């Protein structure tokens, strides 16, 4: 009858039966305006041994529009949190966000100032909301490990935190990358490798401990940092020889080393790995696969003897080892390393590989990129050799392309795409480079105009879609946002009916002069490629012509 009976409620809330306590907690929610110290009682119940009681307490807290109600939800995080509690805690904190966010911004203690509770709260904020908060130590700590922040913002957070705590940046980065919380290990790792060799050397024992970890995502960054600290690969190579996992992790770190001279010293060590068979490499199958993949990336990153690297990767492809990764490695090599005989053999092997992939699996990234490189390889062949391969490829591919930046070389790895007029297509842009880049598709003959317009834009000036350095111009047909290291974006371009040589370009100030490629739109792809064979820097990549593409569906 909705008659408030405090004694009966108190009896239920302290019952030895968990179901009675949960039912009483639900009633307390509805009687909250009539029960003294209701919020304090809910906080006690949020720590109950039974998860059903805790869930009812957290739900009840969402009806109290005060910052103190946040303590109830946070109290429930001190015990095991299952799916249902996690959902309810999240929804309650979202409901109470205006209250606790204001308190945090004003420096008012939440949950008694418990650092773990504050960290929990900050993790529930979106990146824009987090970046709008005052830069307290807790906020800087969260930014340091948060995915989705730029390298510059992460570095600023590290600097602020180091000043406040009086700690070295390297120590803070190691603490963050080895945290049990969900963090952006790649972003933190990149910042670790931006520290000086001297600063890294002072923390070598801690780096070695992280490198030898069985679980940390930051292992490869730790090995790379150790090589930087030693200014040599030799000590790390010896220390990593103790186990296949350590060896794989070190190989995964070589291509991350920012010092090109140091990276190049890995050439003699990784090239023999490319020549090994699977049975020659020690370790479980997944570790052997990782060693092969990272040996490929390391060999390409040394930028030494590109023709020898091409030959080694071609042999791996012929053996059927790591075909997509090896094909990706070929894309980053300079085209003058592509000899006719080796290119022809590799092209034929990749076409045969693509033919074995079921039709319903031909939209995956590995397949798309591997077929791209097969098509590009046909461009260096004699017309009589290229024609049958192109004809086969025309029925194998979909109108989807991947373009990457080449690390430290201010260029795209695919400088020319050839697509059929009147067909929609997808273009995915990946940025593994250390600098931010974008990809902007422009009308024929307008690259310089668009590039110079971008140069005069303010650093914080965005277009209507929130993109930096994309001019408000009718010459811009499509554009990604400015991508930080490791980011990716896919553009879905509508049919382009007007034939011509369009271009794609990076509009970060000054990049447009060197970093661009051609997007050729033509009614007859095969005829265009025959009339415009690849030479030197001109590297065609053909889409299937319309008839074959339709048949492939």
């Amino acid at each position: 009858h909705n008659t408030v009976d405090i004694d009966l409620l108190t009896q239920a809330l302290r019952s030895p039966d968990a179901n009675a306590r949960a039912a009483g907690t639900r009633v307390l929610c509805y009687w909250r305006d009539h029960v003294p110290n209701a919020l304090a009682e809910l906080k006690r119940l949020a720590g109950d041994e039974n998860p059903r009681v805790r869930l009812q307490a957290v739900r009840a807290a969402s009806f109290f529009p005060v910052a103190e109600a946040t303590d109830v939800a946070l109290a429930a995080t001190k015990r095991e949190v299952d799916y249902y509690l996690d959902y309810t805690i999240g929804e309650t904190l979202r409901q109470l966000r205006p209250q606790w966010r204001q308190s945090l911004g004003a420096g008012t203690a939440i949950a008694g100032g418990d650092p773990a509770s504050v960290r929990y709260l900050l993790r529930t904020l979106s990146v824009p909301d987090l970046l709008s908060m005052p830069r307290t130590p807790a906020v800087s700590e969260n930014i340091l490990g948060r995915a989705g922040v730029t390298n510059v913002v992460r570095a600023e957070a590290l600097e602020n935190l180091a000043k406040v705590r009086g700690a070295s940046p390297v120590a803070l980065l190691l603490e963050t990358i080895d945290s049990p919380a969900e963090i952006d290990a790649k972003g933190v790792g990149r910042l670790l490798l931006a520290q000086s060799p001297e600063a890294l050397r002072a923390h070598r024992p801690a780096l070695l401990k992280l490198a030898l970890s069985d679980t940390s995502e930051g292992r490869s960054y730790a090995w790379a940092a150790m090589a930087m600290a030693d200014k040599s690969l030799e000590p790390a190579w010896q220390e990593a020889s103790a186990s296949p996992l350590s060896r794989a992790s070190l190989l995964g770190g070589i291509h991350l080393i920012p010092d090109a001279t140091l990276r190049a010293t890995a050439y003699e060590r990784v090239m023999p790995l490319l020549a090994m068979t699977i049975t020659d490499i020690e370790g479980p199958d997944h570790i052997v696969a990782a060693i092969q993949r990272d040996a490929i990336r390391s060999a390409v990153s040394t930028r030494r003897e590109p023709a020898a690297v091409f030959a080694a990767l071609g042999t791996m492809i012929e053996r059927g080892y790591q075909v997509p990764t090896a094909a990706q490695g070929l894309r980053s090599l300079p085209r003058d390393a592509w000899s006719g005989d080796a290119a022809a053999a590799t092209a034929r092997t990749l076409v045969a590989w693509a033919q074995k992939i079921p039709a319903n699996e031909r939209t995956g990234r590995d397949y798309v990129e591997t077929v791209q490189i097969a098509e590009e390889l046909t461009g260096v062949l004699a017309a009589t050799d290229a024609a049958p391969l192109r004809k086969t490829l025309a029925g194998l591919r979909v109108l989807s392309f991947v373009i990457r930046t080449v690390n430290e070389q201010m260029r795209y790895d695919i400088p020319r795409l050839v697509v059929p007029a009147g067909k929609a297509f997808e273009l995915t842009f990946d940025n593994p480079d250390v600098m931010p880049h974008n990809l902007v598709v422009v009308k024929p003959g307008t690259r310089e105009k668009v590039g110079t317009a971008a140069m005069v834009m303010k650093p914080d000036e965005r277009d209507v879609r929130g993109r930096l350095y994309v001019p408000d111009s009718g010459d811009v047909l499509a554009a990604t946002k400015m991508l930080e290291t490791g980011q990716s974006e896919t553009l879905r371009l509508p049919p382009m009916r007007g034939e011509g040589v369009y271009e794609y370009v990076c509009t970060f100030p000054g990049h447009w002069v060197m970093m661009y490629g051609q997007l050729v739109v033509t009614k007859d792809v095969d005829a265009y490629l025959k009339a415009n064979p690849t030479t030197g820097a001109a590297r065609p990549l053909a889409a299937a012509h319309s008839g074959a593409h339709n048949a492939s569906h």
Side-chain angles (χ1 to χ4, degrees):
H1 299 285
N2 202 31
T3 300
V4 177
D5 187 331
I6 301 297
D7 292 338
L8 178 60
L9 177 61
T10 301
Q11 181 182 347
L13 293 176
R14 284 163 174 74
S15 169
D17 187 319
N19 291 322
R21 296 197 303 276
T25 306
R26 186 176 181 87
V27 172
L28 174 58
C29 174
Y30 298 124
W31 286 357
R32 60 188 179 277
D33 294 333
H34 305 284
V35 178
N37 301 316
L39 205 51
E41 184 70 354
L42 286 173
K43 185 175 180 181
R44 180 186 71 81
L45 293 162
D48 194 278
E49 64 181 18
N50 185 273
R52 180 174 292 176
V53 178
R54 299 200 298 275
L55 185 144
Q56 291 292 346
V58 171
R59 173 184 174 274
S62 69
F63 290 87
F64 291 78
V66 294
E68 291 77 6
T70 305
D71 295 354
V72 176
L74 293 173
T77 67
K78 305 305 180 184
R79 288 182 176 265
E80 184 178 355
V81 176
D82 60 17
Y83 167 82
Y84 303 99
L85 262 169
D86 182 63
Y87 173 81
T88 308
I89 291 170
E91 289 300 298
T92 293
L93 291 178
R94 184 173 65 84
Q95 179 70 20
L96 299 174
R97 184 174 296 167
Q99 287 75 33
W100 62 256
R101 187 178 172 191
Q102 183 178 8
S103 295
L104 277 180
T108 305
I110 294 286
D114 175 42
S117 295
V118 173
R119 285 194 290 269
Y120 192 101
L121 282 176
L122 292 174
R123 285 198 297 271
T124 68
L125 290 175
S126 66
V127 170
D129 285 343
L130 178 66
L131 297 183
S132 69
M133 297 283 289
R135 291 298 195 271
T136 63
V139 170
S140 293
E141 179 188 88
N142 193 275
I143 291 172
L144 184 58
R146 177 65 74 92
V149 302
T150 66
N151 296 333
V152 172
V153 170
R154 199 185 306 277
E156 290 173 349
L158 176 62
E159 183 180 1
N160 293 339
L161 206 56
K163 287 180 181 178
V164 171
R165 293 189 177 177
S168 77
V170 175
L172 291 172
L173 289 166
L174 289 173
E175 177 186 323
T176 302
I177 206 169
D178 202 29
S179 167
E182 185 177 342
I183 59 117
D184 181 4
K186 291 181 179 179
V188 179
R190 288 194 298 269
L191 194 49
L192 177 67
L193 299 183
Q195 308 307 304
S196 70
E198 293 71 26
L200 294 170
R201 193 175 304 122
H203 296 272
R204 198 183 190 286
L207 287 168
L208 179 58
K209 181 180 178 181
L210 176 62
L212 295 174
S213 165
D214 290 340
T215 57
S216 176
E217 290 185 72
R219 313 190 276 271
S220 291
Y221 289 94
W223 284 114
M226 284 169 52
M228 291 174 59
D230 299 333
K231 297 185 178 180
S232 168
L233 271 174
E234 183 62 30
W237 194 270
Q238 295 300 324
E239 288 162 320
S241 63
S243 75
L245 176 61
S246 294
R247 192 181 186 190
S249 299
L250 171 57
L251 285 167
I254 290 173
H255 76 280
L256 301 171
I257 297 172
D259 183 341
T261 302
L262 176 58
R263 206 168 57 235
T265 63
Y267 178 83
E268 286 81 5
R269 295 190 178 278
V270 299
M271 284 298 287
L273 293 173
L274 302 185
M276 290 184 177
T277 64
I278 294 175
T279 55
D280 292 332
I281 303 175
E282 179 187 354
D285 289 349
H286 69 286
I287 297 296
V288 171
I291 288 173
Q292 288 183 318
R293 286 195 304 268
D294 289 318
I296 292 169
R297 297 186 179 107
S298 298
V300 172
S301 74
T302 65
R303 298 171 68 178
R304 288 179 55 185
E305 304 294 336
V309 175
F310 183 97
L313 296 182
T315 300
M316 289 189 76
I317 291 170
E318 185 178 353
R319 290 175 173 174
Y321 297 164
Q322 300 294 332
V323 173
T325 305
Q328 290 171 18
L330 295 177
R331 291 168 57 138
S332 298
L333 296 174
R335 271 28 180 195
D336 56 11
W338 293 19
S339 68
D341 291 342
T346 304
R348 285 191 289 270
T349 303
L350 290 176
V351 170
W353 176 88
Q355 286 177 301
K356 296 176 183 177
I357 303 299
N360 62 348
E361 296 178 14
R362 292 178 183 171
T363 56
R365 285 287 297 271
D366 282 348
Y367 179 86
V368 167
E369 293 187 61
T370 304
V371 170
Q372 276 187 220
I373 198 66
E375 290 180 334
E376 193 172 355
L377 282 165
T378 64
V380 301
L381 307 184
T384 53
D385 295 327
L389 292 177
R390 287 195 187 123
K391 183 177 180 180
T392 301
L393 284 168
L396 290 173
R397 77 172 340 275
V398 292
L399 285 177
S400 181
F401 304 92
V402 178
I403 297 178
R404 286 193 178 89
T405 57
V406 178
N407 195 32
E408 301 175 352
Q409 296 186 41
M410 193 69 76
R411 67 180 176 90
Y412 297 115
D413 67 348
I414 298 293
R416 189 167 80 172
L417 300 178
V418 183
V419 301
K423 290 288 182 181
F425 62 96
E426 285 189 352
L427 203 166
T428 297
F429 175 50
D430 290 348
N431 181 27
D433 195 18
V434 294
M435 296 185 65
H437 297 289
N438 66 356
L439 187 146
V440 180
V441 180
V442 299
K443 291 180 179 179
T446 64
R447 172 173 58 86
E448 181 176 355
K449 178 182 175 183
V450 172
T452 53
M455 289 184 68
V456 299
M457 294 179 69
K458 298 176 182 178
D460 59 349
E461 185 179 349
R462 300 176 184 270
D463 71 351
V464 293
R465 297 187 181 181
R467 299 171 297 195
L468 297 172
Y469 298 117
V470 177
D472 182 15
S473 168
D475 295 321
V476 173
L477 301 179
T480 69
K481 64 182 180 180
M482 194 63 64
L483 300 184
E484 295 286 337
T485 306
Q487 292 184 326
S488 177
E489 184 175 343
T490 297
L491 297 175
R492 292 172 175 82
L493 286 89
M496 302 173 72
R497 304 190 183 282
E499 289 188 289
V501 180
Y502 298 76
E503 289 181 291
Y504 47 91
V505 58
C506 177
T507 56
F508 189 90
H511 289 196
W512 68 269
V513 178
M514 297 176 60
M515 195 167 178
Y516 61 92
Q518 295 180 338
L519 175 63
V520 179
V521 179
T522 176
K523 292 179 180 178
D524 191 333
V525 170
D526 289 336
Y528 182 89
L529 291 175
K530 289 177 183 178
N532 299 273
T534 183
T535 55
R539 302 170 293 169
L541 179 63
H545 60 73
S546 57
H549 179 65
N550 287 338
S552 72
H553 283 273

